[in-house]
Amino acid sequence: MITFCATQRIGLVVIGPEAPLVDGLADSLRGAGIAVFGPSRAAAQLEGSKGFTKDLCARAGIPTARYDRATSLHAARAALDGHELPVVIKADGLAAGKGVVIAETRAEAEAALDDMFDGQFGEAGAEVVIEEFLEGEEASFFALTDGATILPFGSAQDHKRVGEGDTGPNTGGMGAYSPARVLTPLLQGEAIERIVAPTVRAMKEAGMPYSGVLYAGLMLTRDGPKLIEYNARFGDPECQVLMLRLKDDLAELLLACAENRLAGCAPPRFSPDTALTVVMAANGYPQTPAKGGRIDGLAAAEATGAKIFHAGTANRDGVLVANGGRVLNVTALGANVRDSRDHAYRAVDAIDFAEGFCRRDIGWREVKREAAPAA
């Protein structure tokens, strides 16, 4: 990678996926004098190890769910005794958004632990985090930081469950919309003051300053926002809706972050419109997605004004086919969630992907709120 960047005279590298960040690619590039947007290997532990993040929260007084860590099945089962049901079981390491189980019964919790320690999630499940189940509504908040300055970068709500009505196993995300109006300006300010800013300070004090985008998954509880987990990247499908609303030059912001110049940047501007994205996934996702399914109709879909982001596609002899679990993100703008939802689904319906599926209820919570009479 360093040789390629030198040969091609690359001025800025933006690392999108989490695995290269956790592996330390940013450190290698910075060591070669190449500007990088993305945290160091040490700082990327905020996503790479859920236990690391929980311990940091405990030290810094950051509101989050009560938790236990365990490195053996015996210890994990013993830790379950101290938790009420439902309980959240998480693989400590990277599991592509799938290493989380909300167990309603003791039997489900023990089965989840068995799967993790039996290697279902590889090395990610060698340690687990057992968490108190938080009640409330989830929202995602994004901030750019160079380790000192923090610039808010919008909000979103995604839909993790594979099935409509938020049923079935967790996925990396079946759709999202931005902004998340449930994260009011007051709650956003509280999240920055009590969660994001203390995290950035704690990381700097620990000698591992965080530089890049900090994606805070929040639960909006009766006691205020609490941290569910961090991502060390923009995230998918949240990134798509943020990009559709961004009105400023993204590259300038990312380069300023990489060069520790965020203090001189104005907060990024976003369209007041709502962006919504629908994930079209391959049949069998999230377990064993079917690859090779033909995809047609993208030109007709984009003729509606929607934007289609490719996530898991391949071109085989001039034919577009599915080549992953989440295949396409069909994304549209509208005056509100209902408008953007209707626009996105018109584009979805123009696509011929016989071996794929999508949820038809993306944005359902906010659509319901929009339809409610004013108090």
Side-chain angles (χ1 to χ4, degrees):
M1 186 66 72
I2 292 168
T3 302
F4 175 86
C5 289
T7 303
Q8 301 298 322
R9 301 173 64 189
I10 301 298
L12 172 67
V13 176
V14 180
I15 304 176
E18 64 273 30
L21 291 169
V22 171
D23 284 344
L25 177 58
D27 305 78
S28 299
L29 291 166
R30 287 193 181 102
I34 300 166
V36 183
F37 180 82
S40 66
R41 179 176 185 172
Q45 290 180 93
L46 282 177
E47 178 169 4
S49 169
K50 295 176 179 64
F52 172 89
T53 300
K54 300 297 283 191
D55 288 350
L56 180 139
C57 288
R59 292 194 304 271
I62 295 168
T64 188
R66 187 174 62 82
Y67 73 103
D68 288 288
R69 299 177 68 174
T71 55
S72 71
L73 181 59
H74 176 75
R77 286 186 169 176
L80 278 178
D81 295 335
H83 288 267
E84 296 181 356
L85 295 169
V87 65
V88 182
I89 312 292
K90 295 181 177 180
D92 178 75
L94 298 178
K98 304 179 187 70
V100 179
V101 175
I102 300 173
E104 300 286 345
T105 66
R106 175 79 184 213
E108 289 178 3
E110 291 186 353
L113 292 173
D114 288 343
D115 288 342
M116 290 184 186
F117 284 108
D118 281 347
Q120 180 173 327
F121 301 105
E123 292 183 4
E127 180 174 344
V128 301
V129 174
I130 301 169
E131 285 188 2
E132 163 197 16
F133 176 77
L134 295 177
E135 293 197 26
E137 191 165 342
E138 289 188 41
S140 302
F141 173 70
F142 301 80
L144 301 183
T145 180
D146 54 12
T149 300
I150 298 171
L151 285 185
F153 199 85
S155 64
Q157 278 191 296
D158 73 342
H159 299 64
K160 288 293 187 191
R161 299 295 188 103
V162 72
E164 293 177 18
D166 293 325
T167 58
N170 274 321
T171 72
M174 294 300 294
Y177 57 91
S178 175
R181 290 188 171 85
V182 69
L183 188 64
T184 64
L186 182 65
L187 289 175
Q188 179 173 302
E190 187 176 346
I192 294 171
E193 180 181 350
R194 299 184 62 203
I195 297 174
V196 176
T199 298
V200 173
R201 284 196 301 270
M203 293 296 286
K204 186 175 182 180
E205 290 167 1
M208 50 184 82
Y210 189 97
S211 176
V213 61
L214 195 55
Y215 164 170
L218 306 174
M219 184 68 78
L220 306 181
T221 75
R222 285 179 290 183
D223 300 322
K226 293 187 177 184
L227 180 70
I228 301 172
E229 62 185 19
Y230 277 125
N231 285 347
R233 59 206 158 83
F234 280 111
D236 173 8
E238 296 86 354
C239 182
Q240 288 86 333
V241 289
L242 289 172
M243 293 304 111
L244 216 60
R245 294 183 56 235
L246 180 65
K247 299 179 72 173
D248 289 317
D249 189 320
L250 179 67
E252 287 184 2
L253 285 167
L254 303 192
L255 183 59
C257 185
E259 295 179 343
N260 301 312
R261 296 186 287 105
L262 275 187
C265 295
R269 299 171 301 144
F270 289 89
S271 166
D273 288 343
T274 295
L276 183 143
T277 189
V278 178
V279 170
M280 300 189 75
N283 288 345
Y285 178 76
Q287 282 81 23
T288 308
K291 294 186 178 182
R294 180 173 179 139
I295 305 167
D296 292 301
L298 295 196
E302 291 202 319
T304 69
K307 176 71 175 178
I308 299 173
F309 294 88
H310 291 239
T313 62
N315 189 323
R316 293 182 184 165
D317 299 323
V319 176
L320 188 69
V321 299
N323 193 42
R326 290 179 294 163
V327 179
L328 300 171
N329 289 77
V330 184
T331 315
L333 281 171
N336 52 37
V337 174
R338 180 184 292 274
D339 287 348
S340 57
R341 176 203 64 181
D342 292 347
H343 186 179
Y345 280 113
R346 281 197 299 273
V348 166
D349 291 339
I351 297 172
D352 182 6
F353 180 22
E355 295 181 37
F357 72 99
C358 68
R359 280 182 57 167
R360 304 293 304 192
D361 64 345
I362 301 302
W364 68 269
R365 286 188 187 88
E366 195 62 33
V367 169
K368 187 176 180 180
R369 279 192 284 261
E370 289 175 353

